[in-house]
Amino acid sequence: TATATATATPQTTAAPVVIAPAVSVGVEMRLRIAEAEDMLKTLEADIKKAEDKEKANVEYHAQVKVDLERWKKDIKDLDEIKSALEIDIGAAEVRFEEVNLKIEESVKKVEKAEKELEALGARRLVVEGGNKDV
């Protein structure tokens, strides 16, 4: 019986030591599981953000393509307007030159008429009053 008592005593003291690490391991496992779940939630949130960002980028790029096509059309329209304006400017320049030529012709006619009037006036003075102003 002495050996049985001696053997029993170490077993009863050893049992609580074995149970305590088992409880500690269980708590540690629960903590690790909780940490893993938190990490999973964080990863899922990060994935969702990345997907949202990708979707926003896709939408942005689609809008940029639409804008680009609209801008190309606007540029084409503006080029057509520019060409039309260049034609109008060319026509206006031609018309301006025509008007300038007519003005020059008119000025020459007026100058000629003034000279003729001066000549007539000088002749009239000669005829009427002699050579006073000539």
Side-chain angles (χ1 to χ4, degrees):
T1 47
T3 42
T5 306
T7 311
T9 305
Q11 287 177 350
T12 46
T13 53
V17 173
V18 174
I19 293 173
V23 170
S24 176
V25 169
V27 169
E28 186 177 332
M29 292 305 275
R30 284 192 197 116
L31 287 173
R32 286 187 180 176
I33 289 170
E35 287 175 0
E37 287 173 344
D38 286 345
M39 286 175 61
L40 180 62
K41 287 178 185 176
T42 302
L43 288 173
E44 287 173 343
D46 289 347
I47 289 170
K48 175 72 171 129
K49 285 180 190 176
E51 288 172 344
D52 291 347
K53 189 173 182 179
E54 182 182 357
K55 181 180 176 188
N57 283 339
V58 167
E59 291 171 356
Y60 173 76
H61 287 290
Q63 184 61 45
V64 166
K65 284 183 180 180
V66 168
D67 291 344
L68 182 62
E69 290 304 313
R70 187 182 76 239
W71 295 335
K72 285 179 182 177
K73 184 186 177 301
D74 290 348
I75 289 170
K76 181 180 174 193
D77 292 346
L78 289 173
D79 280 341
E80 290 174 4
I81 291 170
K82 177 185 169 192
S83 295
L85 287 173
E86 288 172 345
I87 291 169
D88 290 346
I89 289 170
E93 288 173 342
V94 167
R95 181 70 180 132
F96 180 77
E97 288 300 319
E98 290 172 354
V99 169
N100 274 343
L101 288 174
K102 286 183 181 181
I103 290 172
E104 287 176 14
E105 288 173 8
S106 296
V107 167
K108 286 178 183 177
K109 286 179 183 177
V110 167
E111 289 173 348
K112 182 180 177 186
E114 286 175 344
K115 287 179 184 177
E116 288 175 1
L117 283 174
E118 285 177 19
L120 284 175
R123 277 192 230 141
R124 185 175 292 160
L125 287 174
V126 170
V127 171
E128 288 178 3
N131 289 335
K132 295 179 190 172
D133 291 313
V134 178

